[in-house]
Amino acid sequence: MKIKILTIICSLIFLSSFFTKPVSASYSGVSISPTRQTNLRLAADYDKNQAPSPILVQSIRKVLQSYNSPLAPHAESFAKACIKYNVDCFLAPSIAGVESGFGKRYIKGTHNVWGFGGGKMSFANWDVAIDKVTATLANKYIARGANTTQKINKRYCPPNQAWYQKVDFFRNKFYAQLNKEQKLLAKK
């Protein structure tokens, strides 16, 4: 019964992606658009020494909080890592959403909510985990040509060909929140 309900929910989420318009946004001067064909690299001229935008950090935190994620207090670590490794800032947290429900299902003590090493790989703490996972995405996936979620899917989770759509679903949540935060800031 649980599997049937999950299948129906996943199908509805998948179908809804055809009827929702992707949200475009920008943070700290970097224009981004969440489609599976979007290159997952930040603009080449982005200043890696620049502190993450508070709006970016707040957007990550709010989405993670909406899922009661233990990762929410580490939103700034996601933002710093994505800048450091020149990767879409919503990729690593979105993969965590797919792989572990944003930290609700994982082997406790491993700080591994991305399913690395079958979920058995362990990290010292959340900040180290976020940095290492983002570095791996940058260096072992994106730098080797897997520069869209669909291409990452082929190596990260090959048995599940709909994996990238789930990742993009969560990326759209983050982008929508970023867009919302930017509109609120513009009203001030």
Side-chain angles (χ1 to χ4, degrees):
M1 182 67 174
K2 287 181 183 178
I3 293 173
K4 192 172 188 176
I5 292 171
L6 285 173
T7 303
I8 292 169
I9 291 170
C10 288
S11 296
L12 289 173
I13 290 169
F14 171 73
L15 289 173
S16 71
S17 69
F18 290 106
F19 301 104
T20 58
K21 182 180 165 193
V23 179
S24 292
S26 67
Y27 53 90
S28 298
V30 179
S31 183
I32 47 183
S33 170
T35 66
R36 66 185 156 94
Q37 297 306 317
T38 299
N39 191 316
L40 296 172
R41 290 282 191 198
L42 297 175
D45 61 350
Y46 192 79
D47 181 1
K48 291 184 181 191
N49 296 317
Q50 181 178 355
S53 159
I55 292 174
L56 172 62
V57 174
Q58 185 173 338
S59 299
I60 294 170
R61 184 174 291 115
K62 282 188 176 181
V63 173
L64 293 173
Q65 285 173 335
S66 75
Y67 288 96
N68 297 316
S69 173
L71 299 169
H74 304 279
E76 189 168 355
S77 293
F78 280 110
K80 286 179 178 178
C82 79
I83 292 166
K84 178 179 177 181
Y85 297 108
N86 192 27
V87 175
D88 179 302
C89 292
F90 304 136
L91 180 61
S94 295
I95 292 172
V98 173
E99 295 294 331
S100 68
F102 294 105
K104 291 183 183 162
R105 300 176 310 275
Y106 73 102
I107 300 169
K108 302 298 179 205
T110 64
H111 301 100
N112 182 354
V113 295
W114 297 272
F116 272 37
K120 295 176 182 150
M121 184 180 285
S122 193
F123 302 100
N125 58 52
W126 289 119
D127 298 324
V128 168
I130 291 164
D131 187 79
K132 296 283 187 195
V133 167
T134 306
T136 301
L137 290 168
N139 299 322
K140 300 212 175 190
Y141 290 86
I142 298 169
R144 295 180 181 177
N147 60 354
T148 67
T149 52
Q150 189 173 21
K151 290 177 182 177
I152 290 173
N153 188 157
K154 292 175 184 174
R155 291 187 45 224
Y156 197 101
C157 190
N160 182 352
Q161 291 304 304
W163 178 89
Y164 77 92
Q165 294 166 332
K166 296 172 189 174
V167 172
D168 285 342
F169 171 81
F170 287 124
R171 285 177 67 219
N172 278 323
K173 294 267 189 195
F174 285 101
Y175 284 107
Q177 184 63 44
L178 178 63
N179 204 15
K180 183 178 176 181
E181 296 297 327
Q182 288 176 325
K183 285 180 182 175
L184 288 172
L185 183 65
K187 287 182 180 180
K188 292 182 179 180

